[in-house]
Amino acid sequence: MLSLTKTVFSISKSQQAGSAQRWCDYMGEVYYPLDCTPLDPRSFEGSLTALQLSNLGISKFTADALRTVRRQQLSGTEEVVFIFPTREREHFGHLGIEDEVGPGEMYVLNSSEPYWTQIANKTQNVTIKVPANCVRERFPLLDRTYGRRNIANAGMVPIVAQLALQTFNMVPLVDPQVLKRTEDNILDLMCIMLETRNVSDVPESTTVALSDITFQRLSSFLSLHFRDPGLAPEHAAISLRVSLRYVHKVYQLHGTTFGRELMGLRLQEADRLLRAPYGKNSLPLPISEVAYICGFSSQSHFSARYKEHFGFTPNERRLNPSEDTA
């Protein structure tokens, strides 16, 4: 039988009285007894949504600057905490090791040992909590991963984090048995993510497949947002929860760049608008408006890039809408 509990907790600037203690209390309900110290208790804001399945506890977390300390526990169940930062870098200390990780990376903590974490304002992460024996039986080298960075396959880190997030959208829409299978698949992928931490350990076909998945996700992101004139690779990295470096690497593996793909989408949409028929009682869109709609900063920039790509100006295209493009 699937055990399922979903809870949501948040603190806003209008709820400051005792906010640090209430945040501690709720973190204790979702995770373990923790000491939480906001950098600025007077303006601290945070939210935590938690989903408890049979074995996995999954949470999505947003909070302002905060230091959290887990004290030594003399008894209790040993659990593993996988933390995937999705916005801002996180500092941590565990088993005598101190380090930091950022979006596109992850780190692992042992709940039975003391640790601390420290985050900046507006930090976001995805956290997966699981009994240690469930991981260790699949991945016997688990104990070597605690408190360290670069212990996971960088290509799989965002995939695992995204799959965990999607689980929230499945509740309560799918059959409990489907959720149980999803839970098992997430756990298996987490262990594969650890097993294939070195690029040399990953078969070439697997590496290519992971980059293909990310490239498809990047393409979908661009298709939705290419009209934004301020769109940058950093926005894609944040949205897909991968590092900026990995975004550039994926485009390099596919023989292109973020800028080239973005420009291609903008020019194709502009060409479609210029060629679109208009009625007897309607006027065509001004070229300046076409440029604006497609995300160009100015009409002159649009016209120059359009001619460079197609071989003729936007005005010439409008006069000859059936002419083949370059």
Side-chain angles (χ1 to χ4, degrees):
M1 184 68 180
L2 182 67
S3 171
L4 177 64
T5 305
K6 183 177 179 181
T7 55
V8 180
F9 178 81
S10 65
I11 287 178
S12 66
K13 291 181 180 179
S14 62
Q15 303 170 306
Q16 291 310 302
S19 61
Q21 185 57 52
R22 286 187 289 118
W23 184 262
C24 275
D25 293 342
Y26 185 69
M27 291 282 281
E29 293 178 19
V30 173
Y31 300 113
Y32 325 100
L34 300 167
D35 297 333
C36 302
T37 308
L39 180 64
D40 186 355
R42 296 168 300 176
S43 62
F44 177 79
E45 291 187 307
S47 67
L48 179 63
T49 303
L51 177 65
Q52 181 60 53
L53 303 175
S54 294
N55 290 313
L56 299 186
I58 303 173
S59 66
K60 46 186 177 179
F61 168 103
T62 301
D64 284 336
L66 180 75
R67 183 179 177 86
T68 301
V69 178
R70 166 72 168 167
R71 304 295 181 184
Q72 178 73 50
Q73 302 299 303
L74 299 179
S75 62
T77 304
E78 179 189 7
E79 293 185 303
V80 188
V81 186
F82 294 80
I83 301 178
F84 302 78
T86 57
R87 180 177 178 181
E88 306 299 338
R89 301 188 68 79
E90 300 190 18
H91 298 255
F92 63 92
H94 189 40
L95 299 174
I97 303 170
E98 294 187 15
D99 215 328
E100 65 174 15
V101 300
E105 302 175 289
M106 54 84 66
Y107 60 105
V108 184
L109 304 173
N110 183 335
S111 73
S112 64
E113 300 286 347
Y115 61 77
W116 60 264
T117 64
Q118 189 163 313
I119 61 172
N121 283 339
K122 308 306 178 185
T123 291
Q124 297 178 1
N125 71 37
V126 178
T127 299
I128 302 176
K129 180 185 68 174
V130 56
N133 64 317
C134 291
V135 180
R136 198 172 282 117
E137 66 186 15
R138 292 170 167 86
F139 181 64
L141 301 179
L142 170 66
D143 295 333
R144 300 184 184 180
T145 67
Y146 292 136
R148 301 179 185 276
R149 60 179 305 181
N150 297 326
I151 45 87
N153 180 335
M156 292 193 68
V157 168
I159 295 173
V160 172
Q162 186 65 30
L163 182 56
L165 281 175
Q166 289 302 318
T167 307
F168 283 93
N169 300 327
M170 298 171 67
V171 180
L173 302 176
V174 302
D175 185 273
Q177 293 307 311
V178 174
L179 275 176
K180 183 64 177 72
R181 285 163 51 197
T182 302
E183 179 182 21
D184 292 339
N185 287 334
I186 292 173
L187 185 53
D188 286 338
L189 283 174
M190 288 164 62
C191 293
I192 294 172
M193 174 186 69
L194 296 175
E195 290 170 358
T196 60
R197 61 189 179 279
N198 296 322
V199 174
S200 59
D201 295 337
V202 187
E204 183 179 352
S205 59
T206 302
T207 304
V208 172
L210 291 172
S211 69
D212 284 346
I213 291 171
T214 305
F215 185 74
Q216 291 169 12
R217 294 176 63 210
L218 285 167
S219 298
S220 297
F221 175 84
L222 283 181
S223 295
L224 290 172
H225 300 285
F226 71 87
R227 295 176 180 84
D228 178 357
L231 192 64
E234 291 84 351
H235 302 141
I238 292 171
S239 178
L240 272 63
R241 298 179 175 85
V242 299
S243 67
L244 178 60
R245 181 179 179 183
Y246 188 62
V247 168
H248 291 308
K249 181 178 179 181
V250 168
Y251 279 115
Q252 183 180 19
L253 287 171
H254 287 78
T256 186
T257 66
F258 178 92
R260 186 184 303 165
E261 294 298 303
L262 175 59
M263 182 58 64
L265 285 172
R266 287 174 172 171
L267 290 172
Q268 290 297 333
E269 176 63 7
D271 189 61
R272 185 189 70 80
L273 292 174
L274 290 170
R275 297 173 61 160
Y278 51 93
K280 183 171 59 175
N281 297 321
S282 61
L283 296 174
L285 287 174
I287 291 176
S288 59
E289 188 169 345
V290 171
Y292 174 78
I293 289 173
C294 297
F296 289 91
S297 57
S298 68
Q299 181 178 339
S300 59
H301 179 237
F302 163 59
S303 297
R305 297 308 298 269
Y306 186 92
K307 184 174 182 180
E308 178 183 301
H309 184 80
F310 291 109
F312 39 77
T313 68
N315 274 323
E316 290 170 337
R317 160 58 82 201
R318 178 154 280 164
L319 294 174
N320 299 283
S322 62
E323 184 175 344
D324 290 337
T325 58

